[in-house]
Amino acid sequence: MVTGARGRDGQRWRRLMLPLMMHSADVVDLMLSTQRTPPNPRALALLATRLPA
């Protein structure tokens, strides 16, 4: 388990990061892609909902 997941904010950290970690290959493909259409729209949605405004 990652140290950041153990403290007072552990549950929030897991809720934020776990979906990104579960789909990390898709997120990396999205970030490295030169295509205008994302290879996996779900990865785009996961990343977009976790970036600060």
Side-chain angles (χ1 to χ4, degrees):
M1 178 167 289
V2 176
T3 303
R6 294 183 186 193
R8 182 174 54 199
D9 295 329
Q11 184 65 28
R12 287 186 211 138
W13 186 88
R14 279 189 292 279
R15 196 173 342 138
L16 175 69
M17 297 305 292
L18 187 61
L20 291 174
M21 291 170 46
M22 297 292 292
H23 299 281
S24 62
D26 293 330
V27 171
V28 169
D29 287 344
L30 173 66
M31 298 302 286
L32 297 178
S33 175
T34 58
Q35 300 174 357
R36 292 190 182 266
T37 306
N40 185 340
R42 181 182 169 102
L44 178 62
L46 284 170
L47 188 60
T49 58
R50 280 150 177 81
L51 293 175

